[in-house]
Amino acid sequence: MALTREQMAQRVAQELQDGYYVNLGIGIPTLVANFVPEDIEVMLQSENGLLGMGQFPTEDEIDADLINAGKQTVTMATGASVFSSAESFAMIRGGHVDLTVLGAFEVDVHGNIASYMIPGKLIKGMGGAMDLVAGADNIIVTMTHASKHGDSKLLANCTLPLTGKNCIKKILTDLAYLEIIDGKFQLLEYAPGVTIEQIKMLTEGELVISDNVKEMSF
Amino acid sequence: MSGFNKVVASYQEAMAGLEDGMTVIAGGFGLCGIPENLISEIKHKGTQNLTVVSNNCGVDDFGLGILLSDRQIKKIVASYVGENAEFERQMMSEELKVELTPQGTLAEKMRAGGAGIPAFYTATGYGTPVGEGKEVRTFSGRNYILEESIRGDFAIVKAWKADTYGNLVYRKTARNFNPMAATAGKITVVEVEEIVQPGELDPDQIHTPGIYVDRLIQSSFEKRIEQRTVRTVPNDNGE
């Protein structure tokens, strides 16, 4: 069975470490915040200018001056700081954020990522995604393994305009956890109930099955 | 009377001198911390063919979006333009020129513009459509593109508090692009919720020094929320 959005977030959360500063993109990455293990502390960075993002506010706590990068009303966690967008991207470009999690339309074996535009169809803009993929060492891309029509999103070469070049190393899909090593997708983990054959069929770029491949555990 | 008093009496005075074809840099992220009354004044004034530099372009009926309906904007430099139907229509029909710019690059373009730095190298956008046609240089084995800074004929800014000298304090994430925008205008106009006397703000807590500010006006704000998101709190019965 393919993973649910929550299960994907749950698997990504296993990569969090105590003391990490983390930037979570919109969509599935945002859900990762719900699965932070209880015995560790992480601080969430929101690129509009907030470090230490808290949970959503109650009706009484809503403050129009306090939003996240998804424009949602939020609160501040204890020990939070606010700053300008220039300062925020100094943190991001300067490599100070420990982990970035973001969505994508396509990733290829070269570590290229396309996530911001479908020519003629969808032009919303890249927001902070280009800075995030250029600035971070440790990035996890979360996306479905294939489109609704069964077209692979793990490609030999991206077909859409790129968000970043040679910058992606880790991908968590609804079927598998993979790393890009030496220009190939390495299958490290498969979702419970999903076969390696299924993953092979839905992976267009070259796929290598790791010697230590295992079923994902939660 | 002090030569440092930046307070103006009306919105008309605040935006005096804005002419067709000028470039306006605006602070704000989404609808948070936008100079909403200064934008309304531009609409009221009817200035045409503006180039607007702002992270977003408001929504259809609020923020910079209200300048789209009368086609006052000819070009916008922004990082994210979703959630705005009229914007999308004008962009697709090429009535509106859009220069999509990564958010961090946009912030740095404003910061550099205000700081007298004409251009800078960044890895952001290398190998993507953003990097096309731009100079590439390699530093320590990594490729960077040359991005030019931005200055505006006007900068429009929203801050929380100011003193009459134009020293500014922002509130929470309404700060966003405002401090950089404030430095990058030939004429910087700021609207705030409260103006106090010089000396009343703690010099250690001032975010934008008054030297950047030319005109200052106090007003009230709607502060519309784009994505109202709340958590439900269990009641006494734990439900």
Side-chain angles (χ1 to χ4, degrees):
Chain A
M1 279 276 286
L3 301 180
T4 62
R5 289 160 57 88
E6 282 72 21
Q7 286 172 315
M8 289 174 71
Q10 209 177 342
R11 176 61 191 86
V12 170
Q14 293 174 13
E15 302 298 308
L16 299 171
Q17 291 183 24
D18 196 19
Y20 259 17
Y21 295 102
V22 181
N23 183 292
L24 301 175
I26 294 164
I28 293 166
T30 304
L31 301 175
V32 174
N34 301 335
F35 297 102
V36 178
E38 275 179 15
D39 56 339
I40 69 168
E41 274 190 291
V42 300
M43 212 176 257
L44 301 178
Q45 203 257 16
S46 186
E47 64 265 26
N48 51 321
L50 169 61
L51 187 62
M53 180 167 59
Q55 51 190 342
F56 292 128
T58 61
E59 279 292 342
D60 294 343
E61 288 171 339
I62 284 184
D63 184 341
D65 287 339
L66 186 54
I67 64 167
N68 66 14
K71 300 170 188 166
Q72 297 168 310
T73 44
V74 290
T75 59
M76 291 191 275
T78 304
S81 55
V82 288
F83 33 82
S84 74
S85 302
E87 178 87 49
S88 178
F89 283 92
M91 290 174 197
I92 289 166
R93 258 190 263 99
H96 303 280
V97 175
D98 296 301
L99 174 67
T100 291
V101 186
L102 78 174
F105 299 138
E106 298 175 344
V107 172
D108 70 25
V109 293
H110 311 290
N112 297 330
I113 174 173
S115 68
Y116 82 101
M117 174 180 180
I118 302 174
K121 274 194 193 158
L122 176 112
I123 311 171
K124 287 184 184 295
M126 67 291 282
M130 282 194 180
D131 305 279
L132 283 159
V133 298
D137 253 351
N138 192 12
I139 304 169
I140 301 176
V141 170
T142 59
M143 62 180 188
T144 54
H145 207 97
S147 73
K148 283 176 192 144
H149 311 292
D151 299 322
S152 178
K153 295 184 181 179
L154 286 90
L155 306 175
N157 290 291
C158 286
T159 61
L160 296 168
L162 295 184
T163 307
K165 210 170 161 61
N166 311 127
C167 52
I168 303 303
K169 295 189 193 95
K170 300 173 187 171
I171 308 144
L172 189 272
T173 74
D174 53 343
L175 305 183
Y177 185 52
L178 311 101
E179 272 189 37
I180 298 171
I181 302 170
D182 299 330
K184 291 166 192 145
F185 294 118
Q186 301 265 340
L187 179 64
L188 302 180
E189 296 177 23
Y190 50 87
V194 172
T195 67
I196 292 176
E197 273 313 306
Q198 278 174 297
I199 294 166
K200 272 187 185 163
M201 273 187 28
L202 291 171
T203 307
E204 189 218 87
E206 191 174 348
L207 181 73
V208 175
I209 315 300
S210 162
D211 295 340
N212 305 315
V213 69
K214 60 176 185 181
E215 185 178 292
M216 218 173 273
S217 57
F218 295 95
Chain B
M1 268 308 273
S2 166
F4 297 114
N5 186 357
K6 310 290 173 68
V7 181
V8 296
S10 68
Y11 272 89
Q12 206 179 355
E13 200 182 327
M15 292 311 293
L18 181 71
E19 291 171 12
D20 292 354
M22 281 186 165
T23 295
V24 178
I25 298 182
F29 178 93
L31 300 180
C32 182
I34 58 171
E36 54 181 75
N37 302 300
L38 292 169
I39 293 166
S40 295
E41 175 59 23
I42 296 174
K43 177 162 178 87
H44 179 69
K45 226 172 137 70
T47 319
Q48 298 286 312
N49 290 320
L50 294 169
T51 293
V52 171
V53 183
S54 168
N55 189 58
N56 313 89
C57 197
V59 293
D60 280 333
D61 63 341
F62 194 67
L64 288 166
I66 65 171
L67 303 182
L68 290 169
S69 50
D70 297 333
R71 310 269 295 276
Q72 290 178 267
I73 304 177
K74 75 163 183 220
K75 180 182 170 186
I76 178 141
V77 181
S79 88
Y80 189 82
V81 294
E83 279 92 60
N84 189 326
E86 177 61 13
F87 189 99
E88 215 160 320
R89 191 195 66 71
Q90 289 191 20
M91 180 168 63
M92 291 304 218
S93 64
E94 291 177 12
E95 292 162 51
L96 176 68
K97 275 177 73 178
V98 180
E99 195 175 305
L100 284 177
T101 303
Q103 200 172 320
T105 297
L106 185 61
E108 193 64 14
K109 276 172 177 263
M110 292 183 195
R111 197 201 65 80
I117 308 283
F120 56 91
Y121 288 101
T122 176
T124 304
Y126 170 75
T128 77
V130 167
E132 278 168 23
K134 289 174 184 161
E135 184 190 321
V136 176
R137 263 191 75 176
T138 309
F139 298 93
S140 305
R142 196 152 183 230
N143 294 317
Y144 296 79
I145 57 173
L146 187 67
E147 290 279 9
E148 289 183 21
S149 65
I150 298 182
R151 293 203 70 145
D153 297 297
F154 273 76
I156 54 174
V157 167
K158 158 73 173 57
W160 177 42
K161 267 188 192 180
D163 63 22
T164 57
Y165 286 5
N167 291 308
L168 307 180
V169 178
Y170 306 95
R171 186 170 175 275
K172 298 184 179 171
T173 57
R175 188 180 323 190
N176 57 60
F177 282 81
N178 282 300
M180 289 77 71
T183 67
K186 283 181 199 151
I187 297 174
T188 291
V189 189
V190 182
E191 57 177 356
V192 297
E193 296 172 43
E194 186 184 359
I195 298 176
V196 300
Q197 289 306 306
E200 289 185 40
L201 297 176
D202 178 353
D204 271 331
Q205 306 301 327
I206 286 166
H207 300 135
T208 294
I211 191 169
Y212 297 109
V213 176
D214 297 291
R215 302 174 189 169
L216 181 65
I217 189 163
Q218 180 177 318
S219 191
S220 57
F221 296 82
E222 179 187 332
K223 293 197 188 181
R224 196 183 292 187
I225 293 172
E226 207 166 338
Q227 305 278 346
R228 192 183 185 88
T229 320
V230 293
R231 73 173 192 275
T232 45
V233 182
N235 61 21
D236 291 345
N237 302 321
E239 286 163 352

